[in-house]
Structures are given as structure tokens and as C-alpha cells.
Amino acid sequence: MSPRVRLFAALVLVTSLSACAHQVGSAVQPGAPGFLFGLWHGFIFPVAWVLSLFVPDVAVYAVPNNGGWYDFGYFLGIVFFGVGSHRGTKTVYVRSRRA
């Protein structure tokens, strides 16, 4: 097969598959968790993770959510307010110069 025929076949395949896609009016539901819930869920992530191992109704991530703002809050909750916010000890090594 020539490269042009392969390219044409790929374009036809992609176009025919995209024709089957169904568009939803709004992907975000009005009551879906947003930024503040994401912040809270990120903060309580360690507890929620342990509970999710034993309780089937507990999840560490809310689905469905409102997308990017929930993810941003979740990230901030984990990194800055939750597990990642603990400061470790910093050790500074100083080289001594021998004269």
C-alpha cells in the first residue's frame, strides 16, 4: 500500500468513528462537587484511602465532578494542606577547607 492510500484510509476511519460520537448538552451537572469539595477531598485523602480499602461506599475521588476546578482543589488539598504539606528536617552539610 502506498503512503497516500494509508493516509486516506486512516482519515476515512477517523471520520467515520467521529461521526458516531454523541454530544451531551452539558458535561457538568449543577450539583457536582467543585473547588471547595476538591480541596476537602484532597485534605482528607489519607483517611479516605484507608477507609476505601474496607468500606465499599467510600471513594477517594468524587465522580462526577465539575472538572478542572475540582481537580485543582484536590491537588491543592493533597500537596499544600494534606499529606504533602509536612516539612521534613533539612540537613545542611558544610565542607571545611583544610589549609
Side-chain angles (χ1 to χ4, degrees):
M1 246 188 201
S2 73
R4 288 184 181 180
V5 173
R6 287 185 187 183
L7 179 63
F8 180 74
L11 288 174
V12 167
L13 179 66
V14 169
T15 305
S16 63
L17 287 177
S18 66
C20 299
H22 175 67
Q23 295 293 323
V24 178
S26 174
V28 177
Q29 298 177 2
F35 175 76
L36 292 177
F37 276 115
L39 193 66
W40 174 247
H41 291 161
F43 180 71
I44 65 167
F45 170 77
V47 175
W49 179 71
V50 171
L51 286 175
S52 72
L53 296 175
F54 303 106
V55 180
D57 294 337
V58 175
V60 295
Y61 190 81
V63 176
N65 56 50
N66 76 352
W69 283 112
Y70 177 84
D71 293 340
F72 183 60
Y74 194 78
F75 171 75
L76 288 179
I78 287 179
V79 174
F80 294 112
F81 302 119
V83 190
S85 66
H86 301 294
R87 294 183 183 167
T89 58
K90 186 175 182 181
T91 306
V92 178
Y93 295 101
V94 178
R95 288 187 183 180
S96 61
R97 295 183 123 182
R98 296 183 189 196

Coordinates of all heavy atoms in Angstrom, one line a residue:
M1 N 0.8 -1.2 0.0 CA 0.0 0.0 0.0 C 0.9 1.2 0.0 O 1.8 1.3 0.7 CB -0.8 0.0 1.3 CG -2.3 -0.1 1.1 SD -3.1 0.2 2.6 CE -4.6 -0.6 2.4
S2 N 0.5 2.2 -0.8 CA 1.3 3.4 -0.8 C 0.9 4.3 0.4 O -0.1 4.2 1.0 CB 1.0 4.2 -2.1 OG -0.3 4.8 -2.1
P3 N 1.8 5.2 0.8 CA 1.6 6.1 1.9 C 0.3 7.0 1.8 O -0.4 7.2 2.7 CB 2.8 7.0 2.0 CG 3.9 6.2 1.3 CD 3.2 5.4 0.2
R4 N 0.0 7.4 0.5 CA -1.2 8.2 0.3 C -2.5 7.4 0.6 O -3.5 7.9 1.1 CB -1.3 8.7 -1.1 CG -0.3 9.8 -1.3 CD -0.4 10.4 -2.7 NE 0.6 11.4 -2.9 CZ 0.7 12.1 -4.0 NH1 -0.1 11.8 -5.1 NH2 1.7 13.0 -4.2
V5 N -2.5 6.1 0.2 CA -3.7 5.2 0.4 C -3.8 5.0 1.9 O -4.9 5.0 2.4 CB -3.5 3.9 -0.4 CG1 -4.6 2.9 -0.1 CG2 -3.5 4.2 -1.9
R6 N -2.7 4.8 2.6 CA -2.8 4.6 4.0 C -3.3 5.8 4.8 O -4.2 5.7 5.7 CB -1.4 4.2 4.6 CG -1.0 2.8 4.3 CD 0.3 2.5 4.9 NE 0.8 1.3 4.5 CZ 1.9 0.7 4.9 NH1 2.6 1.3 5.8 NH2 2.3 -0.5 4.5
L7 N -2.9 7.0 4.3 CA -3.3 8.2 4.9 C -4.8 8.4 4.7 O -5.6 8.8 5.6 CB -2.5 9.4 4.4 CG -2.9 10.8 4.9 CD1 -2.7 10.9 6.4 CD2 -2.2 11.9 4.2
F8 N -5.2 8.2 3.4 CA -6.7 8.3 3.1 C -7.5 7.3 3.9 O -8.6 7.7 4.4 CB -6.9 8.1 1.6 CG -8.3 8.2 1.2 CD1 -8.9 9.4 1.1 CD2 -9.0 7.0 0.9 CE1 -10.3 9.5 0.7 CE2 -10.4 7.1 0.5 CZ -11.0 8.4 0.4
A9 N -7.1 6.1 4.1 CA -7.8 5.1 4.8 C -7.9 5.5 6.3 O -8.9 5.3 7.0 CB -7.1 3.7 4.7
A10 N -6.8 6.0 6.8 CA -6.8 6.5 8.2 C -7.8 7.6 8.4 O -8.5 7.7 9.4 CB -5.4 6.9 8.7
L11 N -7.8 8.6 7.5 CA -8.7 9.7 7.6 C -10.2 9.3 7.5 O -11.0 9.8 8.2 CB -8.4 10.7 6.5 CG -7.1 11.5 6.7 CD1 -6.9 12.4 5.5 CD2 -7.3 12.4 7.9
V12 N -10.5 8.3 6.6 CA -11.8 7.8 6.5 C -12.2 7.1 7.8 O -13.3 7.2 8.3 CB -11.9 6.8 5.3 CG1 -13.2 6.0 5.3 CG2 -11.8 7.6 4.0
L13 N -11.3 6.3 8.4 CA -11.6 5.6 9.6 C -11.9 6.6 10.8 O -12.8 6.5 11.5 CB -10.4 4.7 10.0 CG -10.6 3.9 11.3 CD1 -11.7 2.9 11.1 CD2 -9.3 3.2 11.6
V14 N -11.0 7.6 10.9 CA -11.2 8.6 12.0 C -12.5 9.4 11.8 O -13.2 9.6 12.7 CB -10.0 9.5 12.0 CG1 -10.2 10.7 12.9 CG2 -8.7 8.8 12.5
T15 N -12.8 9.7 10.6 CA -14.0 10.5 10.3 C -15.2 9.7 10.6 O -16.2 10.1 11.2 CB -14.0 11.0 8.8 OG1 -12.8 11.7 8.5 CG2 -15.2 11.8 8.5
S16 N -15.2 8.4 10.2 CA -16.4 7.5 10.4 C -16.6 7.3 11.9 O -17.7 7.2 12.4 CB -16.3 6.2 9.6 OG -15.2 5.5 10.0
L17 N -15.5 7.1 12.7 CA -15.6 6.9 14.1 C -16.1 8.2 14.8 O -16.8 8.1 15.8 CB -14.2 6.5 14.7 CG -13.8 5.1 14.4 CD1 -12.4 4.8 14.9 CD2 -14.8 4.1 14.9
S18 N -15.6 9.3 14.3 CA -16.1 10.6 15.0 C -17.5 10.9 14.7 O -18.2 11.6 15.5 CB -15.2 11.8 14.6 OG -15.4 12.0 13.2
A19 N -18.1 10.3 13.6 CA -19.5 10.5 13.3 C -20.4 9.8 14.3 O -21.5 10.1 14.5 CB -19.8 10.0 11.9
C20 N -19.8 8.8 15.0 CA -20.6 8.0 16.0 C -20.6 8.7 17.4 O -21.3 8.2 18.2 CB -20.0 6.6 16.1 SG -20.0 5.7 14.6
A21 N -19.8 9.7 17.5 CA -19.7 10.4 18.9 C -21.0 11.1 19.2 O -21.7 11.7 18.4 CB -18.6 11.4 18.9
H22 N -21.4 10.9 20.4 CA -22.7 11.6 20.9 C -22.3 12.8 21.7 O -21.5 12.7 22.7 CB -23.4 10.6 21.8 CG -24.7 11.1 22.4 ND1 -25.8 11.5 21.7 CD2 -25.0 11.4 23.7 CE1 -26.7 12.0 22.5 NE2 -26.2 11.9 23.7
Q23 N -22.9 13.9 21.4 CA -22.7 15.2 22.1 C -23.7 15.3 23.3 O -24.9 15.1 23.1 CB -22.8 16.4 21.2 CG -21.7 16.4 20.1 CD -20.3 16.6 20.7 OE1 -20.1 17.3 21.6 NE2 -19.4 15.9 20.1
V24 N -23.2 15.7 24.5 CA -24.0 15.9 25.6 C -24.1 17.4 25.8 O -23.2 18.1 25.6 CB -23.4 15.2 26.9 CG1 -24.2 15.5 28.1 CG2 -23.2 13.8 26.7
G25 N -25.3 17.8 26.1 CA -25.6 19.3 26.3 C -24.6 19.9 27.3 O -24.0 20.9 27.0
S26 N -24.5 19.4 28.5 CA -23.6 20.0 29.5 C -23.0 18.8 30.2 O -23.6 17.9 30.8 CB -24.4 20.8 30.4 OG -23.5 21.3 31.5
A27 N -21.7 18.8 30.2 CA -20.9 17.7 30.9 C -20.9 17.9 32.4 O -20.7 17.0 33.1 CB -19.5 17.6 30.4
V28 N -21.1 19.1 32.9 CA -21.1 19.4 34.3 C -22.5 19.5 34.8 O -23.3 20.3 34.4 CB -20.3 20.7 34.6 CG1 -20.3 21.0 36.1 CG2 -18.9 20.6 34.1
Q29 N -22.8 18.7 35.8 CA -24.1 18.8 36.5 C -24.1 20.0 37.5 O -23.1 20.2 38.1 CB -24.5 17.5 37.1 CG -24.6 16.4 36.2 CD -24.8 15.0 36.9 OE1 -25.0 15.0 38.1 NE2 -24.9 14.0 36.1
P30 N -25.2 20.6 37.7 CA -25.3 21.8 38.6 C -24.9 21.4 40.0 O -24.2 22.2 40.7 CB -26.7 22.2 38.6 CG -27.3 21.7 37.3 CD -26.5 20.4 37.0
G31 N -25.2 20.2 40.5 CA -24.8 19.9 41.9 C -23.5 19.1 42.1 O -23.2 18.6 43.1
A32 N -22.7 19.1 41.0 CA -21.5 18.3 41.1 C -20.4 19.0 42.0 O -20.4 20.2 42.1 CB -20.9 18.2 39.7
P33 N -19.6 18.2 42.7 CA -18.6 18.8 43.6 C -17.6 19.7 42.8 O -17.2 19.4 41.7 CB -17.8 17.6 44.1 CG -18.7 16.5 43.9 CD -19.6 16.8 42.7
G34 N -17.3 20.9 43.4 CA -16.4 21.8 42.8 C -15.1 22.0 43.5 O -14.6 21.1 44.1
F35 N -14.6 23.2 43.5 CA -13.3 23.5 44.0 C -13.2 23.2 45.5 O -12.2 22.6 46.0 CB -12.9 25.0 43.8 CG -11.6 25.4 44.4 CD1 -10.4 25.0 43.8 CD2 -11.6 26.2 45.5 CE1 -9.2 25.4 44.4 CE2 -10.5 26.6 46.1 CZ -9.3 26.2 45.6
L36 N -14.2 23.7 46.3 CA -14.1 23.5 47.7 C -14.2 22.1 48.2 O -13.5 21.6 49.1 CB -15.2 24.3 48.4 CG -15.0 25.9 48.3 CD1 -16.1 26.6 49.0 CD2 -13.7 26.3 49.0
F37 N -15.0 21.3 47.5 CA -15.1 19.9 47.8 C -13.8 19.2 47.3 O -13.3 18.2 48.0 CB -16.3 19.2 47.1 CG -17.6 19.3 47.8 CD1 -18.6 20.0 47.3 CD2 -17.7 18.7 49.1 CE1 -19.8 20.1 48.0 CE2 -18.9 18.8 49.8 CZ -19.9 19.5 49.3
G38 N -13.2 19.6 46.2 CA -11.9 19.0 45.8 C -10.8 19.3 46.9 O -10.0 18.5 47.2
L39 N -10.8 20.5 47.4 CA -9.9 20.9 48.4 C -10.1 20.0 49.7 O -9.1 19.5 50.2 CB -10.1 22.4 48.8 CG -9.0 23.1 49.6 CD1 -7.7 23.2 48.9 CD2 -9.5 24.4 50.0
W40 N -11.3 19.8 50.1 CA -11.6 19.0 51.2 C -11.2 17.5 50.9 O -10.6 16.9 51.8 CB -13.1 19.1 51.6 CG -13.5 18.2 52.7 CD1 -14.3 17.1 52.6 CD2 -13.1 18.2 54.0 NE1 -14.5 16.5 53.8 CE2 -13.7 17.1 54.7 CE3 -12.2 19.0 54.8 CZ2 -13.5 16.9 56.0 CZ3 -12.0 18.8 56.1 CH2 -12.6 17.7 56.7
H41 N -11.6 17.0 49.8 CA -11.3 15.6 49.5 C -9.8 15.4 49.4 O -9.3 14.3 49.7 CB -12.0 15.2 48.2 CG -13.4 15.1 48.3 ND1 -14.3 15.1 47.2 CD2 -14.3 15.0 49.4 CE1 -15.5 15.1 47.6 NE2 -15.5 15.0 48.9
G42 N -9.0 16.4 48.9 CA -7.6 16.2 48.9 C -7.0 16.3 50.3 O -6.0 15.5 50.6
F43 N -7.6 17.1 51.1 CA -7.1 17.2 52.5 C -7.3 15.9 53.3 O -6.5 15.4 54.1 CB -7.8 18.3 53.2 CG -7.3 18.5 54.7 CD1 -6.1 19.0 54.9 CD2 -8.2 18.2 55.7 CE1 -5.7 19.2 56.2 CE2 -7.8 18.4 57.0 CZ -6.5 18.9 57.3
I44 N -8.5 15.2 53.1 CA -8.8 14.0 53.8 C -8.4 12.8 53.0 O -8.8 11.7 53.4 CB -10.3 14.0 54.2 CG1 -11.1 13.9 52.9 CG2 -10.6 15.1 55.1 CD1 -12.6 13.5 53.2
F45 N -7.6 12.9 52.0 CA -7.2 11.8 51.2 C -6.6 10.6 51.9 O -7.1 9.4 51.7 CB -6.2 12.2 50.1 CG -5.6 11.0 49.3 CD1 -6.3 10.4 48.4 CD2 -4.3 10.6 49.6 CE1 -5.8 9.3 47.7 CE2 -3.8 9.5 49.0 CZ -4.5 8.9 48.0
P46 N -5.7 10.7 52.9 CA -5.1 9.6 53.5 C -6.2 8.8 54.3 O -6.2 7.5 54.2 CB -4.1 10.1 54.5 CG -3.8 11.5 54.0 CD -5.0 12.0 53.3
V47 N -7.1 9.5 55.0 CA -8.2 8.8 55.7 C -9.1 8.1 54.8 O -9.5 6.9 55.0 CB -8.9 9.8 56.6 CG1 -10.1 9.1 57.3 CG2 -7.9 10.4 57.6
A48 N -9.5 8.8 53.7 CA -10.4 8.3 52.7 C -9.8 7.0 52.0 O -10.5 6.1 51.7 CB -10.8 9.3 51.7
W49 N -8.5 7.1 51.8 CA -7.9 5.9 51.1 C -7.9 4.7 52.0 O -8.3 3.6 51.5 CB -6.5 6.3 50.7 CG -5.8 5.1 50.1 CD1 -6.0 4.6 48.8 CD2 -4.8 4.3 50.6 NE1 -5.2 3.6 48.6 CE2 -4.4 3.3 49.7 CE3 -4.1 4.3 51.9 CZ2 -3.5 2.3 49.9 CZ3 -3.2 3.3 52.1 CH2 -2.9 2.3 51.1
V50 N -7.6 4.9 53.2 CA -7.6 3.7 54.2 C -9.1 3.2 54.3 O -9.3 2.0 54.2 CB -7.0 4.1 55.5 CG1 -7.3 3.0 56.6 CG2 -5.5 4.4 55.4
L51 N -10.0 4.1 54.5 CA -11.4 3.6 54.6 C -11.9 3.0 53.3 O -12.7 2.0 53.4 CB -12.3 4.8 54.9 CG -12.2 5.3 56.3 CD1 -13.1 6.6 56.5 CD2 -12.7 4.3 57.3
S52 N -11.4 3.4 52.1 CA -11.9 2.8 50.9 C -11.4 1.4 50.7 O -12.0 0.7 49.9 CB -11.4 3.7 49.7 OG -10.0 3.5 49.5
L53 N -10.4 1.0 51.4 CA -10.0 -0.4 51.4 C -11.0 -1.3 52.1 O -11.0 -2.5 51.7 CB -8.6 -0.5 52.0 CG -7.4 0.2 51.3 CD1 -6.2 0.1 52.1 CD2 -7.2 -0.3 49.9
F54 N -11.7 -0.8 53.1 CA -12.6 -1.7 53.9 C -14.0 -1.4 53.7 O -14.9 -2.2 53.9 CB -12.2 -1.5 55.3 CG -10.8 -1.8 55.6 CD1 -9.9 -0.8 55.9 CD2 -10.3 -3.1 55.6 CE1 -8.5 -1.1 56.1 CE2 -9.0 -3.4 55.8 CZ -8.1 -2.4 56.1
V55 N -14.4 -0.1 53.3 CA -15.8 0.2 53.1 C -16.1 0.5 51.7 O -15.5 1.4 51.1 CB -16.1 1.5 54.0 CG1 -17.5 1.9 53.8 CG2 -15.7 1.3 55.4
P56 N -16.9 -0.3 51.0 CA -17.2 -0.1 49.6 C -17.8 1.2 49.2 O -17.7 1.6 48.0 CB -18.1 -1.3 49.2 CG -18.6 -1.8 50.5 CD -17.7 -1.4 51.6
D57 N -18.5 1.9 50.1 CA -19.2 3.2 49.8 C -18.3 4.4 49.8 O -18.7 5.5 49.5 CB -20.4 3.4 50.7 CG -21.4 2.3 50.5 OD1 -21.5 1.8 49.4 OD2 -22.2 2.1 51.4
V58 N -17.0 4.2 50.3 CA -16.1 5.4 50.4 C -15.2 5.4 49.2 O -14.6 4.4 48.8 CB -15.3 5.2 51.7 CG1 -14.2 6.4 51.8 CG2 -16.2 5.3 52.9
A59 N -15.0 6.6 48.6 CA -14.1 6.7 47.4 C -13.2 7.9 47.7 O -13.5 8.8 48.5 CB -14.9 7.0 46.2
V60 N -12.0 7.9 47.1 CA -11.0 8.9 47.3 C -11.2 10.1 46.4 O -10.5 11.1 46.5 CB -9.6 8.4 47.2 CG1 -9.3 7.4 48.4 CG2 -9.3 7.8 45.9
Y61 N -12.0 9.9 45.4 CA -12.2 11.0 44.3 C -13.7 11.0 43.9 O -14.3 9.9 43.7 CB -11.3 10.6 43.1 CG -11.2 11.6 42.1 CD1 -10.3 12.7 42.2 CD2 -11.9 11.6 40.9 CE1 -10.2 13.7 41.3 CE2 -11.8 12.5 39.9 CZ -10.9 13.6 40.1 OH -10.8 14.5 39.1
A62 N -14.3 12.2 43.9 CA -15.7 12.3 43.6 C -15.9 12.2 42.1 O -15.3 13.0 41.3 CB -16.3 13.6 44.1
V63 N -16.8 11.3 41.6 CA -17.1 11.2 40.2 C -18.6 11.1 40.2 O -19.2 10.3 40.9 CB -16.5 9.9 39.6 CG1 -17.0 9.8 38.2 CG2 -15.0 10.0 39.6
P64 N -19.3 12.0 39.4 CA -18.8 13.0 38.6 C -18.5 14.3 39.4 O -19.1 14.5 40.5 CB -20.0 13.3 37.6 CG -21.2 13.0 38.5 CD -20.8 11.8 39.4
N65 N -17.6 15.1 38.8 CA -17.3 16.4 39.4 C -17.3 17.4 38.4 O -17.7 17.2 37.2 CB -15.9 16.3 40.1 CG -14.8 15.9 39.2 OD1 -14.7 16.4 38.1 ND2 -14.1 14.9 39.6
N66 N -17.0 18.7 38.7 CA -17.1 19.7 37.7 C -15.8 20.0 36.9 O -15.6 21.0 36.3 CB -17.6 21.0 38.3 CG -16.6 21.8 39.1 OD1 -15.5 21.3 39.4 ND2 -17.0 23.0 39.5
G67 N -14.9 19.0 37.0 CA -13.8 19.0 36.1 C -12.5 19.7 36.7 O -12.1 19.4 37.7
G68 N -12.0 20.7 35.9 CA -10.7 21.3 36.3 C -10.7 22.0 37.6 O -9.7 21.9 38.3
W69 N -11.8 22.6 38.0 CA -11.7 23.3 39.4 C -11.7 22.3 40.5 O -11.0 22.5 41.5 CB -12.9 24.2 39.5 CG -12.7 25.5 38.7 CD1 -13.4 25.9 37.7 CD2 -11.7 26.5 39.0 NE1 -12.9 27.1 37.2 CE2 -11.8 27.5 38.0 CE3 -10.7 26.6 40.0 CZ2 -11.0 28.6 38.0 CZ3 -9.9 27.7 39.9 CH2 -10.1 28.7 38.9
Y70 N -12.4 21.2 40.3 CA -12.4 20.1 41.4 C -11.0 19.5 41.4 O -10.4 19.3 42.5 CB -13.4 19.0 41.1 CG -13.3 17.9 42.1 CD1 -14.0 18.0 43.3 CD2 -12.6 16.7 41.8 CE1 -13.9 17.0 44.2 CE2 -12.5 15.7 42.7 CZ -13.2 15.8 43.9 OH -13.1 14.8 44.8
D71 N -10.4 19.3 40.2 CA -9.0 18.7 40.2 C -8.0 19.6 40.8 O -7.1 19.2 41.5 CB -8.6 18.4 38.8 CG -9.4 17.3 38.1 OD1 -10.0 16.5 38.9 OD2 -9.5 17.2 36.9
F72 N -8.2 21.0 40.6 CA -7.2 21.9 41.1 C -7.4 22.0 42.7 O -6.4 22.0 43.4 CB -7.5 23.3 40.5 CG -6.6 24.4 41.0 CD1 -5.2 24.3 40.8 CD2 -7.1 25.5 41.7 CE1 -4.4 25.3 41.2 CE2 -6.2 26.5 42.1 CZ -4.8 26.4 41.9
G73 N -8.6 22.0 43.2 CA -8.8 21.9 44.6 C -8.3 20.6 45.2 O -7.6 20.7 46.3
Y74 N -8.4 19.5 44.5 CA -7.9 18.2 45.0 C -6.4 18.3 45.1 O -5.8 17.8 46.1 CB -8.4 17.1 44.0 CG -8.2 15.7 44.6 CD1 -9.1 15.2 45.5 CD2 -7.2 14.9 44.1 CE1 -9.0 13.9 45.9 CE2 -7.1 13.6 44.6 CZ -8.0 13.1 45.5 OH -7.9 11.8 45.9
F75 N -5.8 18.8 44.1 CA -4.3 19.0 44.0 C -3.8 19.8 45.2 O -2.9 19.5 45.9 CB -3.9 19.5 42.7 CG -2.4 19.9 42.7 CD1 -1.5 19.0 42.5 CD2 -2.1 21.3 42.7 CE1 -0.1 19.3 42.5 CE2 -0.7 21.6 42.7 CZ 0.2 20.6 42.6
L76 N -4.5 21.0 45.4 CA -4.1 21.9 46.5 C -4.3 21.2 47.8 O -3.5 21.3 48.8 CB -4.9 23.2 46.4 CG -4.5 24.2 45.3 CD1 -5.4 25.4 45.4 CD2 -3.0 24.5 45.4
G77 N -5.4 20.5 48.0 CA -5.7 19.8 49.2 C -4.6 18.7 49.6 O -4.2 18.6 50.7
I78 N -4.2 18.0 48.6 CA -3.1 17.0 48.9 C -1.8 17.6 49.1 O -1.1 17.3 50.1 CB -3.1 16.0 47.7 CG1 -4.3 15.1 47.7 CG2 -1.8 15.1 47.8 CD1 -4.3 14.0 46.6
V79 N -1.4 18.5 48.2 CA 0.0 19.0 48.2 C 0.2 20.0 49.3 O 1.2 19.9 50.0 CB 0.4 19.6 46.8 CG1 1.7 20.2 46.9 CG2 0.4 18.5 45.8
F80 N -0.6 21.0 49.4 CA -0.4 22.1 50.4 C -1.0 21.9 51.7 O -0.4 22.3 52.7 CB -0.8 23.4 49.7 CG 0.0 23.8 48.5 CD1 -0.6 23.8 47.3 CD2 1.3 24.1 48.6 CE1 0.1 24.1 46.2 CE2 2.1 24.4 47.5 CZ 1.5 24.4 46.3
F81 N -2.2 21.3 51.8 CA -2.9 21.2 53.1 C -2.9 19.8 53.7 O -3.1 19.6 54.8 CB -4.3 21.7 52.9 CG -4.4 23.1 52.4 CD1 -5.0 23.4 51.2 CD2 -3.8 24.2 53.2 CE1 -5.1 24.7 50.8 CE2 -3.9 25.5 52.7 CZ -4.5 25.7 51.5
G82 N -2.7 18.8 52.8 CA -2.8 17.5 53.3 C -1.4 16.8 53.5 O -0.5 17.3 54.2
V83 N -1.3 15.7 52.8 CA -0.1 14.8 53.0 C 1.2 15.5 52.6 O 2.2 15.3 53.3 CB -0.3 13.5 52.2 CG1 0.8 12.5 52.6 CG2 -1.6 12.9 52.4
G84 N 1.2 16.2 51.6 CA 2.4 16.8 51.1 C 2.9 18.1 51.8 O 3.9 18.6 51.5
S85 N 2.1 18.5 52.8 CA 2.5 19.8 53.5 C 3.4 19.6 54.6 O 3.9 20.6 55.2 CB 1.2 20.5 54.0 OG 0.6 19.7 55.0
H86 N 3.7 18.4 55.0 CA 4.6 18.2 56.2 C 6.0 18.5 55.8 O 6.6 18.0 54.8 CB 4.5 16.7 56.6 CG 3.1 16.4 57.1 ND1 2.5 16.9 58.1 CD2 2.2 15.5 56.5 CE1 1.3 16.4 58.3 NE2 1.1 15.6 57.3
R87 N 6.6 19.3 56.6 CA 8.0 19.7 56.3 C 9.0 18.7 57.0 O 8.8 18.5 58.2 CB 8.3 21.1 56.8 CG 7.5 22.2 56.0 CD 7.9 23.5 56.5 NE 7.0 24.5 55.8 CZ 6.9 25.7 56.2 NH1 7.5 26.2 57.2 NH2 6.1 26.5 55.5
G88 N 9.9 18.3 56.3 CA 10.9 17.4 56.9 C 12.1 18.3 57.4 O 12.1 19.5 57.2
T89 N 13.0 17.6 58.1 CA 14.2 18.3 58.5 C 15.1 18.5 57.4 O 15.3 17.6 56.6 CB 14.8 17.6 59.7 OG1 15.2 16.3 59.3 CG2 13.9 17.5 60.9
K90 N 15.7 19.6 57.4 CA 16.7 19.9 56.3 C 18.1 19.9 56.9 O 18.4 20.6 57.9 CB 16.4 21.3 55.7 CG 17.3 21.6 54.5 CD 16.9 23.0 53.9 CE 17.7 23.3 52.7 NZ 17.3 24.5 52.1
T91 N 18.9 19.1 56.3 CA 20.3 18.9 56.8 C 21.2 19.6 55.9 O 21.2 19.4 54.7 CB 20.7 17.4 56.9 OG1 19.7 16.8 57.7 CG2 22.1 17.3 57.5
V92 N 22.0 20.5 56.4 CA 23.0 21.3 55.6 C 24.4 20.7 55.9 O 24.8 20.7 57.1 CB 22.9 22.8 55.9 CG1 23.9 23.5 55.1 CG2 21.5 23.3 55.7
Y93 N 25.1 20.4 54.9 CA 26.4 19.9 55.1 C 27.4 21.0 54.6 O 27.2 21.6 53.5 CB 26.7 18.6 54.2 CG 25.9 17.5 54.7 CD1 24.7 17.1 54.0 CD2 26.3 16.7 55.8 CE1 24.0 16.0 54.4 CE2 25.5 15.6 56.2 CZ 24.4 15.3 55.5 OH 23.6 14.2 55.9
V94 N 28.3 21.3 55.4 CA 29.3 22.4 55.2 C 30.6 21.7 55.0 O 31.1 21.0 55.9 CB 29.3 23.4 56.3 CG1 30.4 24.5 56.0 CG2 27.9 24.0 56.5
R95 N 31.3 22.0 53.9 CA 32.6 21.5 53.7 C 33.6 22.4 54.4 O 33.5 23.6 54.4 CB 33.0 21.5 52.2 CG 32.3 20.5 51.4 CD 32.8 20.5 50.0 NE 32.1 19.6 49.1 CZ 32.4 19.5 47.9 NH1 33.3 20.2 47.3 NH2 31.7 18.6 47.1
S96 N 34.5 21.7 55.0 CA 35.5 22.5 55.7 C 36.8 22.6 54.8 O 37.1 21.6 54.2 CB 35.9 21.9 57.1 OG 36.4 20.6 56.9
R97 N 37.4 23.7 54.8 CA 38.6 23.9 53.9 C 39.8 23.6 54.8 O 40.0 24.2 55.9 CB 38.7 25.3 53.3 CG 37.6 25.6 52.4 CD 37.8 26.9 51.8 NE 37.8 26.7 50.4 CZ 38.0 27.7 49.5 NH1 38.2 28.9 49.9 NH2 38.0 27.4 48.2
R98 N 40.6 22.7 54.4 CA 41.8 22.5 55.1 C 43.0 23.2 54.5 O 43.2 23.1 53.3 CB 42.1 21.0 55.1 CG 41.1 20.2 55.8 CD 41.4 18.7 55.8 NE 40.3 18.0 56.3 CZ 40.4 16.8 56.7 NH1 41.5 16.1 56.7 NH2 39.3 16.1 57.2
A99 N 43.6 24.0 55.3 CA 44.7 24.8 54.8 C 46.0 24.2 54.9 O 46.3 23.3 55.7 CB 44.7 26.2 55.5

